[in-house]
Amino acid sequence: MRQFTYTCPKTIEEALKAHTSEAAFIGGGTNLVDLMKMGVERPARLININRLPLTSIEEHEGGVRVGALVSNSDAAAHAFIRERYPVLSEAILAGASQQLRNMATMGGNLLQRTRCYYFYDPSYKECNKRTPGTGCAAKQGFNRIHAILGASEACIAVHPSDMCVALSALDAVVQVTGPKGDRSIPFREFHRLPGSMPQIDTNLRPGELITYIDIPPITYARRSTYLKVRDRNSYAFALVSVAAILDLDSGGTLRQARIALGGVAHKPWRATKAEGLLAGKKVNERIVREAAEAELANAKAYRHNSFKVELAQRSIVRAVIAAGEKNA
Amino acid sequence: MPELIGKPLDRIDGRLKVTGGAPYAYEHQVPNAVYATLIVSSIAKGRIVSMETRRAERTPSVLLVMTHLNAPKLPQLEGQPKKPPTGRVVQVLQDEVVRYANQPIGLVVAESLEAAIEAAHLVEVKYAAEQPELELESRLSQAAAPQKVGGAQDPSATHRGDMQAGMAEADARIEHVYSTPFEVHNPMEPHATIAVWDAPDHLTLYDATQGVFTDRARVAQLLGLQAENVHVISPYLGGGFGSKGPVWSHVILAAMAAKQVNRPVKLAVTRPQMFGMLGFRSQTRQAMAAGAKRDGTLTALSHDTVCHTSTFDEFVESASLPSRMLYATPNNSTSHKLIRSDIGTPSFMRAPGESVGTYGLEAAMDELAYELKMDPLELRLKNYAETDPEKNLPWSSKSLRECYRMGAERFGWSKRSPEPRSMRRGNALVGWGMATSEYPTRRSPSNASARLNADGTFSVDAGTQDLGTGTYTIMTQIAADSFGVAANRVKFRLGDTLLPQTPVSGGSQTAASTGSAVYLAAQALREKLIQTAISDARSPLSGESAQDVALENGRLFSRKDPSKGETFQALLARGGQPYLEAQASAKPGPEKERYSMYAFGAQFVEVHVDADLGQIKVARMVGCFGAGRILNAKTARSQLMGGMVWGISLALYEEAHTDYRLGRWVNNNLAEYHVPTNADVGQIEVLWVDEKDDHINPLGAKGIGEIGITGAGAAIANAVFHATGKRVRDLPITLDKVIA
Amino acid sequence: MSDKSPGDLSVSRREFVGTAVAGGAATVLPAYGQVTEPSPELVACTLTINGQREDIQVDPRVTLLDLLRERLHLTGTKKGCDHGQCGACTVLVDGKRINSCLTLAVMHEGSKITTIEGLAEGSNLHPMQAAFIEFDGFQCGYCTPGQICSAVALLDELKAGAPSAVTPNVAEVRAIEVTDDEIRERMSGNICRCGAYPNIVAAVRAVQSRSNA
């Protein structure tokens, strides 16, 4: 780990002012400290933001506003979130371990970096995400955990978060503040696809700080499920995950389905094609399967991850059917 | 005094372990110690062209940056006979050649751990890389037979009868290839060493080792020291599973660095670095062929294994061994072949050979049972070997039939519906599978000493190790019984080369080897106490015959008249001796020539497989074992259960994923190298047959460290087939293979 | 800690340590290059560890785990992976379990930290420690301090009604029904390579049901 200077500001203004070009904000540290140990992140200055007043969960404009420094475990266990947005609790609880969820913050979870082997270990020379222009070792390497949707020639990494998959389906809004003031970023625009600049994961600008995550009111959000498919039963990253939230009318017809996928792309993947095909339909396995197939029609698999294409379709079916069996 | 041997005594070292007070290797408080960290190669094959170390050297508090350019030369490395499997070729910065990924190529010593790690990061290495070769399947033509295989140095290949004729006369046949992956031991405690030069020619090592004496011998040899000038201390070990058996490079490097900086040096291998330089289980490719008559009688069985070794050393994953002895078939053929690959040297990992070999054999037997439309258990019973079919020797003892019966009964095997995919619960396909376990019983020469102290307590010593296997506890029980005292009157010490010499803890041999020595030493001291008493005119027991004297509750007394006797303290005090002591050696006798010695077992498994998503869960396992005398019912149950959990891991989770282009294992961490979590392990029941074996060793204990994993992988794989109708012949059975 | 290691050869160990110290600190560097980078700027920090106040001056790179093990000699907290992937380093910070390897010591100014060394009251083991012995919830013992700290926190989480990934219907806020599956999932952040899991579940269950009795 490179030497760094350390500050622990008490206000957001101080925190923003402390930020310089080689600085990093640290919240829970579960990802940043790990990356610093690996030598992937080498900040010269570390700004501990844990004393900032961003730790509350409050009702907000009919929905909920979650402070960026609320721990993942506190958010998952919060009665308001469990009752209104159980899919968020489920997604958070599906990730990592209780120890890590106790440390990890809501804001930090959004900024997790990929678990691609070739990114995480700087002794691999090829990684456009770590060092632009060096290539992508994963394309020709071992790519079982890699992307099948939205990848580019430059990068086939996936976003590792479970929580963000649920937030995507919930159409959350990320509130940020920075040297140039406050702004709101719709969740779907928060994370990026890799394109030619995979080194940039999100549309957060340098020096900006996440302050809150707002979740809009969704009356039917209890009719939802989070399905995580992984190599072991706990404490493992998703091969594929699905957040599904269904708005059904009294006759069982879908007014709207919200479906987001994890483990398949550089960002939480909102399955808009499938959502479009399902709108106005009665939910049954065949219909959902057709929608899932349409969503994955443009999937591009690599040598070791072609199973994800079929797995993603089956997972969508399982999750949507399961959500449909719940009460709103 | 009720006998302690066999009782479920709590672990003697339990209190220290649950309070954090047991010092593991890296945790010994050595004043003035400094921190070392390794630099490892990022290529698998080639040469180091340059190492730019200046930035590292200028890092504050850095004391030494050692590379092949400035490391002391160890001329004694070459040309010395090494004793495999604990004596391994090490890579200790003697040349610029890179032979495998994660090979040590440098080392940094600093006053602080943080500085050492950062400095290591700052060393820039330029390589001339060559294309590494690690594939097995595409290089089968390069495979060559080794001379010997396995812990008993068995022949590499065997043939009996006529395999071809046997296959020809069969009514049902199977021929399949099964494969198992690279696996890395990953004990929870990373390998660590503190090296302290007490004098220019005297080295003390606090080392995480499974063999303090083999460690001492090899370190002395490589560093050109007298063995008695190397003191190895290892009172607690955070697991080993074989990986801490050999002396690997880091131990020597720590000693070299400590000499250079003239300070005690602490070196721990990091988790990612543990993948490559510390041994691992080779991939295996196992070609199985079997044929049987309609009634299930095996007419032929063959098992041909190909696995890797390194380019510079040799180890064989002896997977074909089980097929030589488990079933009574007249026509049998087995072989092993090695391919030299650009990897570190593979090594023994929990049940070397037998763990993956019982997978190949017992999966093939399952397939044959389906071919015959026969219950898999019935097929095994039909071909039950009453004597060792390969060695033509009687078994020293064998309770396998009873294991099958007890295990099947507890599991409810008779209620199994034979058709695949015939049992279902919700989204889950339910499958039941079974397989046979076996592991050879061996022992090596071992010593122990026992001493009666002036306060009436006993000290019992043997250099041996406790990997979590319960050595402290069972040795205490063995000794306490001889003296007729409670366990807390006996203090057993281990893990130190100042104690009596013992073998490496591997191959399930510690109880049989060192347990026997402790037993003999304790019995010898007991005799000495009795003789001292009866031959002393001042003793109340003077003139009694030895067999009439008993020991109980801290005294010696006459069986005929229990009021006649004296305390241990009185005995010692009268003689004016500070203590009475006895030593004993135990070594293998002629039993090996007269008997074939194995532990056996049967495992039954229920898995639940998600019908659509392929996720597998082991819901329950029943294992029943015949493993000689069980020395502690609590620790034995745990150890057998731990082996079964390793079977779950082998079947479903573990694999070091190889990037063949680069010759590297990409998932070299515990997030991506999957071992089971608590949520992956369902209900496990462990049973055993009370087995009395007078032939194997004075204790009658067979060793239980490895048998639990044998057969477990196959039982799970067979259950997955029963659940899904899909036969995956390539471990681990991950969900992608199930839904493919 | 008053407990003596059964393998402790205290006499011989002290002897050699004495000679080792006499060797002193001859350094190899800076023979071939002067130190040009500045030394790390130390940060003052006050923590309470097992009820004892610790005022430290520390390189901010030092993790809480390395602070405990290498500077305060509280080696009961274990380093298994150093990357938050095994749970061996689990400690309680202000009552919550965390991985001490992924947090910096300086981030815990004012925190109350409990390690395995702080669970027992004098010679009385914490019920969870006693249960781990009774049910043989370990073999090698290396993951054990982390398992026990984790299990102690788990009981508080259950009492607080915090759900887990296997809690049926998270949307219904009510008392958690304590099943083996609940314990298994909640203990899954602590890897045990010896495979003691069923015994760990039994130990946690026993303490949980006794505390409710």
Side-chain angles (χ1 to χ4, degrees), chain B residues 43-45 99-101 130-139 142 182 280 282-283 307-309 311 339-344 656-665:
Chain B
I43 64 163
K45 186 181 186 184
R99 297 166 174 88
Y100 58 92
E130 295 166 45
Q131 181 58 48
E133 295 203 82
L134 288 84
E135 277 192 340
L136 208 55
E137 200 66 36
S138 63
R139 295 195 296 141
Q142 299 173 23
F182 285 119
F280 47 88
S282 168
Q283 289 176 326
C307 56
H308 301 269
T309 191
T311 55
I339 294 181
R340 294 209 174 265
S341 296
D342 297 308
I343 53 175
H657 289 299
T658 311
D659 182 327
Y660 288 96
R661 234 174 15 134
L662 302 176
R664 297 182 64 178
W665 289 327

Side-chain angles (χ1 to χ4, degrees), chain B residues 333-362:
Chain B
S333 146
T334 68
S335 72
H336 298 88
K337 284 187 174 168
L338 284 175
I339 294 181
R340 294 209 174 265
S341 296
D342 297 308
I343 53 175
T345 307
S347 185
F348 44 94
M349 175 163 163
R350 203 165 195 174
E354 325 283 327
S355 54
V356 289
T358 51
Y359 161 65
L361 170 59
E362 289 293 278

Side-chain angles (χ1 to χ4, degrees), chain B residues 282-416:
Chain B
S282 168
Q283 289 176 326
T284 66
R285 178 194 190 276
Q286 304 176 46
M288 300 293 315
K293 289 292 195 190
R294 206 152 283 136
D295 69 354
T297 307
L298 277 174
T299 57
L301 175 65
S302 69
H303 194 156
D304 299 292
T305 298
V306 181
C307 56
H308 301 269
T309 191
S310 64
T311 55
F312 51 87
D313 207 345
E314 186 172 303
F315 178 83
V316 188
E317 186 69 28
S318 49
S320 300
L321 295 181
S323 292
R324 293 179 184 172
M325 46 62 69
L326 199 47
Y327 297 109
T329 170
N331 306 306
N332 179 263
S333 146
T334 68
S335 72
H336 298 88
K337 284 187 174 168
L338 284 175
I339 294 181
R340 294 209 174 265
S341 296
D342 297 308
I343 53 175
T345 307
S347 185
F348 44 94
M349 175 163 163
R350 203 165 195 174
E354 325 283 327
S355 54
V356 289
T358 51
Y359 161 65
L361 170 59
E362 289 293 278
M365 287 294 280
D366 199 63
E367 299 213 44
L368 187 61
Y370 280 98
E371 239 3 84
L372 290 159
K373 296 195 176 9
M374 191 170 181
D375 182 90
L377 174 53
E378 205 185 314
L379 177 64
R380 270 108 175 152
L381 288 168
K382 183 81 192 170
N383 295 288
Y384 195 85
E386 301 290 354
T387 57
D388 185 328
E390 179 65 25
K391 293 187 197 144
N392 273 317
L393 287 174
W395 307 110
S396 64
S397 61
K398 180 176 182 180
S399 316
L400 179 56
R401 207 185 295 277
E402 187 65 359
C403 292
Y404 284 136
R405 192 192 62 73
M406 279 171 64
E409 195 175 294
R410 178 66 69 98
F411 185 83
W413 184 256
S414 63
K415 296 188 207 70
R416 179 175 181 264

Side-chain angles (χ1 to χ4, degrees), chain B residues 10-11 14-20 24 26-27 29 31 35 57-58 60 62-64 113-114 118 184-186 188-190 196 198 204 206 236-239 241 260-263 266 271 467-468 472 491-493 496 498 634 637-638 641-642 645-646 654 669-671 675-679 681-682, chain C residues 1 3-7 9 12-13 16-17 19-21 23-29 32 34-39 61-62 66 69-71 73 75-76 78-81 85-86 116-117 123 125 129 132-134 136 138-142 148 184 187-188 191 193-201:
Chain B
D10 288 345
R11 279 174 205 269
R15 196 180 170 90
L16 272 175
K17 285 182 173 175
V18 302
T19 54
Y24 295 80
Y26 200 73
E27 298 165 359
Q29 300 303 324
Y35 294 89
E57 284 158 4
R58 287 174 190 168
V62 166
L63 302 174
L64 171 68
L113 180 57
E114 292 72 27
E118 173 62 6
V184 182
H185 308 74
N186 276 305
M188 294 316 294
E189 178 204 21
V196 187
D198 327 87
T204 296
Y206 297 92
Y236 299 97
L237 206 57
F241 315 111
Q260 291 289 99
V261 301
N262 196 21
R263 299 268 295 270
K266 295 176 75 165
R271 183 63 58 180
L467 289 69
Y472 277 115
K491 184 172 175 74
F492 178 71
R493 300 190 297 180
D496 196 306
L498 297 181
K634 183 176 280 196
R637 181 180 164 275
S638 294
M641 185 176 78
V645 171
W646 271 64
E654 275 182 64
N669 59 69
L670 288 177
V675 299
T677 66
N678 205 317
V681 177
Chain C
M1 189 84 20
D3 302 75
K4 264 294 206 178
S5 141
L9 301 172
S12 60
R13 198 168 299 156
F16 95 75
V17 167
T19 52
V21 177
T27 59
V28 174
L29 291 171
Y32 42 90
Q34 72 208 55
V35 173
T36 53
E37 309 221 346
S39 289
R61 292 178 295 178
V62 173
D66 287 331
R69 284 173 63 82
E70 304 304 329
R71 284 159 180 82
H73 308 302
T75 54
K78 303 303 181 194
K79 184 181 282 190
C81 72
Q85 301 163 350
C86 79
I116 191 71
E117 290 93 344
S123 63
L125 295 179
Q129 292 172 311
F132 266 66
I133 295 176
E134 181 186 351
D136 210 28
F138 57 93
Q139 291 173 42
C140 81
Y142 199 78
I148 291 173
R184 288 180 183 128
M187 290 301 292
S188 281
I191 305 284
R193 185 57 156 161
C194 295
Y197 296 129
N199 293 355
I200 291 169
V201 173

Side-chain angles (χ1 to χ4, degrees), chain A residues 179-194:
Chain A
K180 293 181 181 162
D182 299 350
R183 63 190 185 110
S184 303
I185 309 174
F187 205 85
R188 275 190 261 186
E189 293 164 25
F190 186 81
H191 295 98
R192 298 178 69 258
L193 287 178

